[in-house]
Amino acid sequence: GAYRTDVEGNGKREPATPATTYKDIEQVVEGGAKEIDPVHPYDCDDPEKTHDLMAAIREACQEYSVLSKVILETAYYDDYFRLYDVTQEVIERYHAGFVKTSTGQHPKGGARLETAAIMLEAIKNSGQNCGFKAAGEIDTPDDAAQLIALARIKMESRFIDPTLFRLGSSKQ
């Protein structure tokens, strides 16, 4: 199911609701956040709950004028058609400013070329001005170069700009 982000840093993991989701975003914005990185409730098997949570994220981000960078946790998806559909839905229905591949915490891994290609295709076909961030398991300059090349092929060179394309790595 869907769980709240631990905005207080206390390690609690509680079920998310639209009201707590909105309140959590309000709290981090009051703390100075200009961008929000919510995780799409990929493992929630209730479409209505997923919609309500994503709608709360959309509404809070619009209300507080912050960028929503929705993390899809692409390693979860064995069905690439489903990943494409979820990416488009997050862009078109929930107005994500960015879609991200991963938290980097999923046991199956993070950014992969095939899932990045699917997400970039969904962005391109949406016609929206949505950015893309690949994160998780970008360990080498070669990994980064491959993702940049893929984005150039799929989206054209103008896409390689920090307002639309970002890479994230947790490696130090």
Side-chain angles (χ1 to χ4, degrees):
Y3 292 90
R4 292 179 65 190
T5 302
D6 181 17
V7 297
E8 293 90 19
N10 59 20
K12 289 184 183 175
R13 204 167 135 82
E14 303 169 1
T17 67
T20 59
T21 298
Y22 193 97
K23 183 84 171 138
D24 289 346
I25 292 171
E26 181 180 58
Q27 184 178 347
V28 296
V29 169
E30 287 172 357
K34 303 287 184 223
E35 298 181 353
I36 304 297
D37 292 46
V39 178
H40 181 274
Y42 59 90
D43 59 351
C44 180
D45 56 4
D46 181 345
E48 187 175 327
K49 183 174 183 174
T50 297
H51 166 73
D52 291 347
L53 291 169
M54 292 305 299
I57 292 166
R58 177 190 62 216
E59 291 163 16
C61 289
Q62 288 174 341
E63 172 75 23
Y64 295 104
S65 299
V66 294
L67 180 67
S68 171
K69 299 183 312 192
V70 178
I71 302 167
L72 299 182
E73 207 63 88
T74 57
Y76 173 81
Y77 294 93
D78 293 325
D79 179 348
Y80 290 159
F81 292 107
R82 178 75 183 125
L83 174 60
Y84 179 90
D85 291 343
V86 168
T87 304
Q88 279 213 316
E89 180 179 48
V90 165
I91 295 166
E92 295 174 3
R93 189 172 188 186
Y94 303 114
H95 306 215
F98 265 79
V99 287
K100 291 175 61 175
T101 58
S102 177
T103 60
Q105 305 301 311
H106 196 282
K108 288 186 181 178
R112 296 189 321 269
L113 284 176
E114 61 271 21
T115 55
I118 291 163
M119 293 173 70
L120 288 164
E121 189 70 21
I123 292 169
K124 183 177 180 179
N125 292 342
S126 77
Q128 306 294 314
N129 192 32
C130 180
F132 171 78
K133 182 173 181 178
E137 295 190 15
I138 304 169
D139 299 333
T140 67
D142 239 17
D143 295 339
Q146 289 178 25
L147 287 160
I148 291 167
L150 175 65
R152 281 195 172 129
I153 291 166
K154 288 279 188 189
M155 305 302 289
E156 302 172 3
S157 294
R158 64 178 165 69
F159 193 74
I160 309 302
D161 166 316
T163 62
L164 292 173
F165 181 82
R166 299 178 188 173
L167 297 176
S169 176
S170 57
K171 297 284 181 183
Q172 299 294 332

